[in-house]
């Protein structure tokens, strides 16, 4: 458990390691509320924890705010509160406050959860401005599991498969990676809505550099690949809730993979590409057949309420 | 403007005055979105600012998360973003991050806003455990304006009146009060949902002391009193969004009122009662006729979606 928290009437006070704090928020409206490998409560914790982690901050404390639709089954609410408690415990983060609002039937869809989180910044220089040509792109594990799990759970696709959301805290991996590499980690991001493609496109745009990824090196489970083929979507556009992308110095790439793989659940980490001077702002994907395609940001939202 | 903020990918970093931070959150689902004296965006800022202020913390930074119903008029969204910007500027607080989710028509009611805020604790010892018999109870101004304004704006009551929500940051008053009194301020609370009655009932319960208030001293506008009589509710149960309650040492009561009244908008501050050893856990209200009634917590929610 990080941080110390003291309850006050209207706000909690939390002890930090320094006088700088990382601060973030996300709302969660995923449908269905429960799906293989997770639930909305679980996502609401991990999503905010992961935003702190990939910003280079140790997650310390969370607050949550619930919007409930009148008539919501109390057992459903209890299950999600328990999911939040368990996820926070796993992530080593404290809940220090919250709020609840109830709206009429038809003014929400069962339950929406908003979390905000604070963390202790590690003091690293992370961001597109620190990325250089020659740096390597790493992903922490298989991509697309969360988005395809949600799609299958909705029953929109006449397909049964053994697949679970990847919902988890990425902090243990980030801690191992940043501990091993220090300033040789240049940039991190959790590829949620819009997937790996959108995160890397934003990186290419903001760093004014090119990104080249090798399609064959991107870890994608067969069932995810198959579902994507049926749907005509690219696994690189599918949401993840327990993976992160990192750009690291070329000479530190093996050490980076070793650090992530040494953490339980990190065996699937892979180096998937490289930063280039050529084609600034563009993400290219090299196919196993030797051709290249341009990977765009996700436009529109083909998979609404995925998180 | 307090604090310095640097944008990162997924979280902001904010500089604080010390290594302790106050942290709070609230969701806002008020209906209608706009009403005399304020709007949902305005409330979403002031509500979180006030939770920090009455906890004895200088508000520093906010994050917000929007849940939008598909089909929401873009002009409505723009107006609320502008209301949030303006309220934050007035309150001297920075927005450092946010999130947006869109749900289908019928899965929200136009727009819900969740804010979370962090602040620099003043380091005061505030809370029911610091309250003593003989201490005085102060309110910063007229009570019930917000709740009755919302009720009138909904048109549920066939009554027209010149009344505005009291939505505002209470930080300037809190700053003046705590600056003037120091540790002679024992407890503060903003009486939102459930009103003054609920806040004081919680205080009586948690402090294990009695609270006696003089009905004639509680500032209530005529129009609010009239609406409450028609509705059969107690103004002490009606929500406020720009007032706060404070318990102060008896000998500091005049100085407390002077400090609040010296701040623009604070002229209506009043001493409304006293803390007693007798009847621990009970709030009594003495009427102008010499009788006493017990003031209970608000049970149920007679005015839903008031904030």
């Amino acid at each position: 458990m990080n941080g110390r928290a003291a309850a006050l009437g209207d706000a909690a006070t939390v002890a930090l390691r320094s006088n700088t704090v990382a601060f973030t928020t996300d709302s969660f409206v995923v449908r269905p509320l429960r799906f293989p490998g997770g639930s909305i409560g679980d996502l609401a914790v991990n999503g905010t924890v992961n935003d702190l982690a990939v910003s280079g901050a140790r997650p310390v404390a969370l607050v949550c705010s619930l919007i409930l639709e009148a008539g919501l089954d109390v057992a459903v609410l209890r299950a999600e509160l328990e999911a939040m408690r368990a996820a926070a415990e796993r992530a080593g983060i404290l809940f220090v406050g919250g709020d609840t609002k109830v709206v009429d039937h038809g003014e929400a869809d069962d339950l929406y959860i908003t979390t905000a989180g604070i963390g202790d910044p590690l003091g690293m220089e992370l961001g597109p401005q620190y990325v250089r040509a020659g740096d390597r792109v790493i992903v922490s594990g298989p991509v697309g599991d969360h988005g395809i799990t949600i799609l299958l759970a909705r029953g929109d696709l006449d397909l049964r498969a053994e697949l679970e959301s990847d919902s988890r805290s990425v902090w243990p991996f980030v801690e191992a990676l940043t501990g091993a590499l220090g300033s040789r980690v240049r940039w991190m991001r959790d590829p949620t809505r819009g997937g790996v493609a959108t995160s890397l496109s934003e990186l290419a745009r903001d760093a004014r550099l090119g990104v080249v990824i090798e399609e064959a090196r991107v870890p994608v489970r067969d069932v995810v690949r198959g579902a994507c083929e049926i749907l005509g979507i690219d696994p690189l556009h599918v949401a993840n809730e327990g993976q992160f992308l990192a750009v690291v110095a070329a000479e530190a790439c093996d050490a980076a993979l070793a650090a992530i793989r040494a953490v339980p659940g990190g065996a699937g980490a892979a180096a998937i590409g490289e930063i280039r001077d050529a084609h600034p702002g563009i993400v290219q994907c090299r196919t196993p057949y030797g051709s290249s395609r341009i990977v765009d940001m996700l436009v529109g939202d083909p998979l609404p309420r995925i998180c």
Side-chain angles (χ1 to χ4, degrees), chain A residues 35 37-47 80 83-84 87 90 167-168:
Chain A
F35 43 83
S39 71
I40 188 170
D42 186 74
L43 281 192
V45 171
N46 292 334
E80 292 315 315
M84 293 174 82
R90 278 194 299 274
S167 178
R168 62 176 177 176

Side-chain angles (χ1 to χ4, degrees), chain A residues 27-284:
Chain A
S27 282
F28 295 84
V29 298
V30 68
R31 181 181 50 188
L33 295 180
R34 309 224 121 202
F35 43 83
S39 71
I40 188 170
D42 186 74
L43 281 192
V45 171
N46 292 334
T48 290
V49 162
N50 291 347
D51 280 346
L52 292 169
V54 297
S55 299
R58 176 188 302 273
V60 172
L62 288 176
V63 290
C64 70
S65 212
L66 309 177
I67 296 177
L68 311 178
E69 185 185 12
L72 175 69
D73 186 342
V74 171
V76 170
L77 177 60
R78 278 218 190 92
E80 292 315 315
L81 294 175
E82 169 55 23
M84 293 174 82
R85 190 206 58 73
E89 189 174 297
R90 278 194 299 274
I93 194 165
L94 284 173
F95 267 109
V96 297
D99 182 46
T100 306
K101 293 288 190 299
V102 179
V103 298
D104 272 351
H105 183 68
E107 295 175 347
D109 189 13
D110 285 337
L111 170 62
Y112 300 141
I113 303 178
T114 301
T115 50
I118 56 175
D120 281 313
L122 300 175
M124 298 180 65
E125 294 186 324
L126 288 171
Q129 68 272 34
Y130 301 106
V131 171
R132 299 286 173 262
D135 287 350
R136 299 297 155 83
V137 179
I138 280 173
V139 67
S140 59
V143 308
D145 290 6
H146 176 74
I148 298 301
T149 298
I150 296 299
L151 219 72
L152 294 176
R154 285 189 196 154
D156 296 346
L157 208 62
D158 190 15
L159 191 70
R160 249 174 278 277
E162 288 292 313
L163 185 66
E164 287 197 340
S165 168
D166 56 4
S167 178
R168 62 176 177 176
S169 161
V170 301
W171 168 249
F173 308 107
V174 166
E175 186 176 33
L177 176 66
T178 56
L181 267 69
S183 66
R184 293 176 302 170
V185 183
R186 319 288 204 199
W187 172 93
M188 291 187 287
R189 182 64 63 90
D190 58 331
T192 53
R193 267 193 296 181
V196 168
T198 300
S199 293
L200 292 181
S201 293
E202 289 174 356
L203 169 62
R205 178 196 64 197
D206 297 341
R208 296 176 193 180
L209 291 165
V211 178
V212 177
I213 59 177
E214 303 285 341
E215 192 169 78
R217 293 201 184 169
V218 179
V220 183
R221 293 184 209 278
D222 288 343
V223 54
V224 171
R225 196 183 304 280
C228 285
E229 277 172 14
I230 292 168
L231 289 164
I233 56 174
D234 185 339
L236 295 176
H237 278 136
V238 179
N240 310 278
E241 291 290 339
Q243 305 299 347
F244 71 106
L245 294 162
V247 172
V248 301
E251 78 278 6
C253 187
D254 289 345
L257 291 174
I260 298 173
R261 288 174 182 158
V263 178
I272 62 171
E274 195 176 322
I275 307 297
R276 300 279 176 85
D277 277 321
H279 308 296
I282 303 291
V283 180
Q284 290 182 78

